[in-house]
Amino acid sequence: MNRFRGPSRAVTKTRRWEALRLQALRRDDWACVQCGARSGLEVDHIQPVRDTPQRAYDLANLQTLCGRCHSRKTRIECGHPELRPERQAWRDLLCDMTRNLSSNGEQDA
Ligand SMILES: [Zn+2]
């Protein structure tokens, strides 16, 4: 499962990313673009790096999210973006199960 996060991590540890990240935060006025939170901010790729690596350093492809909105978006990317709520809940469950499997299956529900 780590291969999904790999490309993004390769980008986010570069110095070029650090500079770009600051530009994105400044542009979004240091607030989550979804809920307006001003703490725990992260800069997200709107189109995931694994899908569009050529836009990894494109400021227009970046948005400021708080940790909560960011993890919700990441979960949605694991499934399909346009699901009805009940389908989404099921998809979230599958996502979580997949994640648990990759972390040694210690969590037995
Ligand atoms: Zn938020």
Side-chain angles (χ1 to χ4, degrees):
M1 276 334 214
N2 279 339
R3 113 192 135 80
F4 290 120
R5 293 187 164 261
S8 162
R9 198 170 297 159
V11 168
T12 55
K13 71 185 177 201
T14 62
R15 226 174 267 174
R16 189 177 172 196
W17 167 256
E18 263 315 302
L20 202 65
R21 189 179 153 274
L22 277 177
Q23 282 184 49
L25 285 165
R26 232 173 275 152
R27 182 201 58 193
D28 294 335
D29 200 22
W30 300 85
C32 172
V33 296
Q34 306 226 319
C35 74
R38 289 183 177 271
S39 60
L41 296 178
E42 296 166 10
V43 174
D44 173 56
H45 288 96
I46 297 170
Q47 294 185 5
V49 176
R50 66 171 185 272
D51 292 342
T52 49
Q54 71 277 16
R55 297 197 65 192
Y57 298 101
D58 181 353
L59 185 61
N61 189 39
L62 301 178
Q63 63 182 350
T64 303
L65 291 177
C66 70
R68 221 171 42 182
C69 292
H70 195 186
S71 65
R72 189 170 50 203
K73 173 174 185 283
T74 306
R75 245 198 330 267
I76 289 169
E77 278 167 9
C78 188
H80 195 279
E82 321 279 356
L83 289 175
R84 284 175 292 134
E86 66 270 32
R87 299 285 284 153
Q88 185 61 57
W90 172 241
R91 194 65 75 131
D92 285 350
L93 190 69
L94 286 182
C95 277
D96 288 343
M97 278 163 58
T98 313
R99 211 166 289 148
N100 288 343
L101 282 180
S102 61
S103 67
N104 241 349
E106 281 296 289
Q107 288 170 348
D108 196 10

